[in-house]
Amino acid sequence: MKVNLLDFDLPGLIGWCEGLGEKKFRATQLFRWMHHRGVSEFDQMTDLARGFRDKLHQLAEVRALPVVHRQDSADGTIKWLFDVGDGNAVETVFIPEDDRATLCVSSQAGCAVGCRFCSTGHQGFSRNLSSAEILAQLWFVEHTLRREFTRNERIISNVVMMGMGEPLQNYNALVPALTVMLNDHAYGLSRRRVTVSTSGVVPMIDRLSQDCPVALAVSLHAPTDVLRDSLVPLNRKYPIAELLDACRRYLPTAPRDFITFEYCMLDGVNDQPEHAQALVALLRPPGGAHVPCKLNLIPFNPFPASGLKRSPDATVQAFARVLLKAGLVTTVRKTRGDDIDAACGQLAGDILDRTDVQRRVARQRTIELVRAPHF
Ligand code: SAH
Ligand code: SF4
């Protein structure tokens, strides 16, 4: 099979081109044609020498992901389902706002973490995406929309790794893809506008701080280990205290001076006043070490298999008030694209489950029903 040039970050492409006897600046030109201009046909890369283009024809291609389908929401949100082979499909969501346009990108076909409130988690795990498959989502959407909107300037200003999958469980493919997003010869996104969201893979948070520090969002969802264990199974491996320590270590190299904590509001499970108080005690311990942070409350987007319900608006507001009163910057996430199932946690794609996640999640729910209440 031909080499997919979307798999390379710039140093990787330079190395590959040098292996063909081509100079470094030729690789940069090729990189710019692909990412800056969205060109995939080598014949259109007019300033590359014919000999180089012939070699590219023989050995390489810019291989995009086939689109299974696209849905446009009434609010401007657009969702694509991409085929990644073997019966797997992943989703990507474009979210336009007044002052920015965000692309929500998937990192895995499925997810092995198996959070109780997440439809991707319920689907199980098939495989990691390659760097090319991660980047192809941005490449395709950016250049497709430039053509559709007849705009010759950048459309996507922010990327959030909040689609399907746990990005820090696909670290080796993630980092080159992030590097390309940040590169000025490609998408030139600022580190502050690229966010990795994680359920808390502690060692990889440390590695990311060294290899490619971008904005970090941590899916917290609970103030105690007992409750978090039941919602985010990875907590049993990396409990809250270790996770907060990793957040503190991340901040010195981070492009922002705070961590975003995501908290999915689940009716009667983690949304009561005592949970809010416990969260304040955790994040603002009297006399203890604070984690500079912002809280993002996400109204749960229900799906039938979860057996969970969205917290009523009044409960979310009351919860937010407790946090705000304690000095924690708190926002409630607007739900976008819910008429096309593009909201957080509704991305289901189509996954050929190669793990036992579906059975594990069902078993965990049975244990929790017996163990409740959580406080
Ligand atoms: N695996 C990573 C990133 C993908 S999930 C992570 O867990 O952080 C992106 C965000 O969507 C996470 O904060 C996750 O907790 C949230 N989410 C998942 N399912 C949801 C649902 N059904 N409703 C609302 N938010 C959900
Ligand atoms: Fe995986 Fe994130 Fe969904 Fe949890 S919330 S199952 S980590 S994608």
Side-chain angles (χ1 to χ4, degrees), residues 117-118 162-163 165-166 197-198 219 221 262 264 298 300-301 344-345:
F117 49 84
C118 173
M162 293 186 188
E166 169 47 60
S197 176
T198 179
S219 295
H221 307 310
E262 295 159 283
C264 182
I298 315 174
F300 172 59
N301 293 306
C344 301

Side-chain angles (χ1 to χ4, degrees), residues 26-41 44-48 139 143 185:
R26 292 284 175 216
T28 307
Q29 280 178 313
L30 172 59
F31 193 72
R32 287 179 65 87
W33 275 112
M34 288 192 293
H35 294 293
H36 220 114
R37 317 227 356 214
V39 172
S40 55
E41 297 300 327
Q44 290 173 21
M45 302 182 180
T46 44
D47 57 2
L48 299 186
W139 182 83
H143 296 295
H185 293 298

Side-chain angles (χ1 to χ4, degrees), residues 108-116 118-126 169 233 351-365:
Q108 297 180 311
C111 182
V113 178
C115 299
R116 231 173 90 190
C118 173
S119 65
T120 305
H122 276 246
Q123 286 215 316
F125 175 72
S126 179
Q169 287 189 339
I351 297 305
L352 182 70
D353 184 22
R354 296 187 198 280
T355 66
D356 215 12
V357 167
Q358 298 199 6
R359 196 136 40 92
R360 264 199 285 139
V361 171
R363 195 173 136 260
Q364 183 59 29
R365 259 180 64 193

Side-chain angles (χ1 to χ4, degrees), residues 104-105 107-108 111 113 115-121 161-168 196-200 217-221 232 261-266 296 298-303 306 308 310 333 335 343-347:
C104 180
V105 170
S107 55
Q108 297 180 311
C111 182
V113 178
C115 299
R116 231 173 90 190
F117 49 84
C118 173
S119 65
T120 305
M161 297 302 305
M162 293 186 188
M164 297 168 70
E166 169 47 60
L168 294 188
V196 168
S197 176
T198 179
S199 55
V218 170
S219 295
L220 194 56
H221 307 310
V232 184
F261 288 119
E262 295 159 283
Y263 196 101
C264 182
M265 298 293 289
L266 304 163
N296 193 206
I298 315 174
F300 172 59
N301 293 306
F303 57 98
S306 71
L308 296 163
R310 176 185 289 196
R333 187 177 293 176
T335 294
C344 301
Q346 289 183 321
L347 305 185

